[in-house]
Amino acid sequence: MSGEIAIIGTGMTKFGKHPDLSLEALGFEAAGQAMRDAGVRPADIQAAYCASALAPQLLGEFTMGQKIFWELGINKIPVVNVENACTSGSTGFYLACLAIKAGAVDMALVLGVEKMYTRVKKILDAGATDLETKLGFIVPGTFAMRARSYISKYGLTPEDLALISVKNRRHGFLNPNAQFREQVTVEDVLSSPMIADPLTRLSCCPQGDGAAAVVLCRADLARSLNTRTVNVATSVLMSGSYDSPPHLDSWPTDMRAVEKAYGEAGIGPEDLHVIELHDAFTIAELIHYEGLGLCPAGGGGELLKGGHTSLGGRIPVNPSGGLLSRGHPVGATGVAQLVEIVTQLRGEAGPRQVPNARVGMAHCMGGDLQGDTRSVTINILTV
Amino acid sequence: MPELIQQGLWDDSPEGKVLIGSCCRECGAKAFPCRSVCSRCCSEQQTQTPMARRGKVLSYTRICIDVPAVDEAPYLVGYVLLDDGISVPARLKYFDVNPDVGSAVVFEVGVTGKTAAGEAITGYYFRPERGGEEACQER
Ligand SMILES: [Zn+2]
């Protein structure tokens, strides 16, 4: 895929509580921004993807893409609505890349949008009919069990885990689109209410409303459009294996997906300058460090405590603030990560800019099932 | 009759109730809950087999928020690595103190939740191998 596809426009709303904005309004704002940023017209978009993980459940809505894109003057083209848990948005991007790579379309729009602050109060679970859900498992609980396994195996402490929240809040403080812009201390994280031991409230990402969008096209067209182009080196989507391994300290699909991504992009982890990854809970970021090959098994604690993944460190992770600070409107997250990497590679990230960033990765993970993740996406972008 | 959490998860055995898993006749892969097709070799030749009643806590957490489908708060959930090598999701009950990773546990059937109407749902849980037995029988 290297060199065939380019991102030419991005847009996103601030993440947070938007009581006065509907799902359509959020999507309209982000998608419109992305098209203006790309300098394209509605008629230029030949396929469009709208990702939302929870709209049918929380809002009773469906085929949101058609409603939102129609408002933007985009019609009479293939529109696909995408649900793939937390990877919904990045799965939409993957599908758009496939369509361009196949030569079916020259230019596509990908929108991720979610509205979670609704009258329906719902605790996120693995799906109503899952045995785990019926036994009382909830999403933070599943990650808490991984946290206990990981920290007991590698001799870390809850204080070490809390440093992930502290770092990502410090980054989010610099991001005007982040939901949380207040910094926190290790003590704040540990003294916030316990959700699922050892994960406290400040160890978990918040719910949120928000939208993010990108316009992508054939790379040769991008050059003639003369915008601030970012190349897509590879886009990978992979499901899990679900064979209930007798350990909980990795997601095997991380390794499989990243191996394919590095192979296709012709790079290794040492070539990355900036990463956005799926820190839905503090522990997830540590486990993904290993999954992406940033450190050997058990080395996540050292990488974190040494400041190597902070802004200013060797390989900054989640400069946007990540899910923990930027927020996690589920369907929008995968696209928001891409928007952050594009912003970094364009050199437009302001106070949170990673100097001279030329190669970036967006990693997203959707759900946990029988010891593996349901879905992983890896997108590597370059300039 | 209280409602069952799910049909076919356990059965009677001489030792008491046991979880029922599937075992592949072609490659020997075990799974819980039962599968009709092997996830390793795709064979449809699956037999139902009783799983080990004993195992070790692989990991666990104490859920500290109210969950509507559960009859108590806070409560413990965990993954138990059964002595025959399969890990299963489970509730953990009758622990006076938090278990350690690796604690020995035993399978039991009992109330684990409630319906929207507040009626008991019978599910399964693991209790401590030592110490929990008497407490369990008193109840
Ligand atoms: Zn088999």
Side-chain angles (χ1 to χ4, degrees), chain B residues 24-29 38-43 46:
Chain B
C24 178
R25 282 202 202 117
E26 300 287 330
C27 78
C38 178
S39 66
R40 196 193 288 166
C41 76
C42 245
S43 168
Q46 305 295 306

Side-chain angles (χ1 to χ4, degrees), chain A residues 310-353:
Chain A
S310 296
L311 278 169
R314 178 157 54 82
I315 173 63
V317 172
N318 287 324
S320 71
L323 281 59
L324 286 166
S325 187
R326 184 192 59 232
H328 186 31
V330 178
T333 286
V335 184
Q337 293 177 318
L338 287 164
V339 170
E340 177 67 15
I341 296 298
V342 170
T343 306
Q344 290 284 346
L345 300 191
R346 283 171 164 180
E348 296 174 354
R352 65 180 194 286
Q353 178 67 46

Side-chain angles (χ1 to χ4, degrees), chain A residues 11-357:
Chain A
M12 96 177 253
T13 68
K14 183 174 164 50
F15 282 6
K17 282 187 189 179
H18 289 294
D20 302 328
L21 290 178
S22 65
L23 190 77
E24 294 96 312
L26 290 164
F28 181 85
E29 185 182 330
Q33 258 187 44
M35 289 174 61
R36 286 190 294 279
D37 183 42
V40 299
R41 295 161 180 280
D44 298 325
I45 304 293
Q46 297 170 2
Y49 301 81
C50 179
S52 172
L54 300 167
Q57 243 190 90
L58 297 180
L59 301 167
E61 294 281 7
F62 60 99
T63 57
M64 289 309 299
Q66 283 84 340
K67 284 174 79 171
I68 295 166
F69 299 141
W70 175 79
E71 294 271 356
L72 286 162
I74 298 169
N75 48 39
K76 307 183 197 79
I77 59 163
V79 168
V80 182
N81 294 279
V82 183
E83 185 276 306
N84 220 4
C86 304
T87 60
S88 296
S90 45
T91 298
F93 182 77
Y94 169 82
L95 294 174
C97 286
L98 287 190
I100 294 173
K101 192 181 177 189
V105 304
D106 294 332
M107 189 179 293
L109 171 64
V110 180
L111 168 66
V113 58
E114 207 75 76
K115 190 167 175 63
M116 295 172 74
Y117 287 107
T118 62
R119 272 171 301 171
V120 181
K121 288 281 169 268
K122 186 163 184 335
I123 297 167
L124 287 182
D125 58 40
T129 61
D130 265 58
L131 176 59
E132 276 93 336
T133 303
K134 293 190 285 188
L135 285 165
F137 283 48
I138 56 174
V139 173
T142 305
F143 283 83
M145 284 184 264
R146 288 191 175 270
R148 186 176 313 283
S149 272
Y150 190 93
I151 66 179
S152 67
K153 180 168 178 179
Y154 294 119
L156 298 181
T157 63
E159 283 76 9
D160 296 332
L161 272 186
L163 287 171
I164 297 276
S165 278
V166 172
K167 169 180 79 73
N168 290 351
R169 285 293 195 105
R170 197 167 59 231
H171 293 174
F173 169 72
L174 302 171
N175 181 359
N177 284 328
Q179 179 159 350
F180 289 145
R181 303 203 59 205
E182 305 78 31
Q183 300 202 50
V184 296
T185 63
V186 167
E187 292 69 34
D188 293 334
V189 176
L190 295 180
S191 65
S192 64
M194 189 61 78
I195 303 293
D197 177 26
L199 299 180
T200 60
R201 185 177 298 284
L202 291 181
S203 316
C204 307
C205 66
Q207 305 199 49
D209 305 337
V214 296
V215 176
L216 60 165
C217 70
R218 266 172 40 201
D220 54 330
L221 294 177
R223 283 187 284 275
S224 69
L225 284 166
N226 197 25
T227 65
R228 288 119 57 238
T229 292
V230 170
N231 296 308
V232 182
T234 184
S235 182
V236 169
L237 166 65
M238 200 171 285
S239 70
S241 53
Y242 321 127
D243 41 11
S244 302
H247 64 79
L248 291 168
D249 45 333
S250 70
W251 286 287
T253 304
D254 263 0
M255 278 86 123
R256 284 192 287 265
V258 86
E259 188 185 343
K260 184 166 195 280
Y262 287 144
E264 288 180 357
I267 64 164
E270 65 284 358
D271 299 312
L272 295 170
H273 299 140
V274 57
I275 298 174
E276 284 282 308
L277 61 71
H278 192 261
D279 59 326
F281 303 89
T282 49
I283 181 61
E285 180 164 323
L286 270 190
I287 295 178
H288 293 314
Y289 287 168
E290 299 180 14
L292 301 179
L294 306 183
C295 61
E302 286 310 306
L303 197 64
L304 172 70
K305 287 188 276 184
H308 302 301
T309 54
S310 296
L311 278 169
R314 178 157 54 82
I315 173 63
V317 172
N318 287 324
S320 71
L323 281 59
L324 286 166
S325 187
R326 184 192 59 232
H328 186 31
V330 178
T333 286
V335 184
Q337 293 177 318
L338 287 164
V339 170
E340 177 67 15
I341 296 298
V342 170
T343 306
Q344 290 284 346
L345 300 191
R346 283 171 164 180
E348 296 174 354
R352 65 180 194 286
Q353 178 67 46
V354 175
N356 305 313

Side-chain angles (χ1 to χ4, degrees), chain A residues 123 131-132 134-138 141-142 144-145 148-149 152 194-197 242 244-248 370, chain B residues 5-6 9 32 35 58-66 70 75 77-79 81 87 89-91 98 124:
Chain A
I123 297 167
L131 176 59
E132 276 93 336
K134 293 190 285 188
L135 285 165
F137 283 48
I138 56 174
T142 305
M145 284 184 264
R148 186 176 313 283
S149 272
S152 67
M194 189 61 78
I195 303 293
D197 177 26
Y242 321 127
S244 302
H247 64 79
L248 291 168
Q370 301 255 330
Chain B
I5 192 167
Q6 191 166 308
L9 291 182
F32 173 83
R35 293 180 181 184
L58 186 58
S59 192
Y60 74 94
T61 182
R62 185 176 294 273
I63 307 275
C64 299
I65 58 175
D66 278 328
V70 175
Y75 61 95
V77 295
Y79 286 103
L81 185 60
S87 79
R91 285 281 287 287
N98 281 354
Y124 68 88

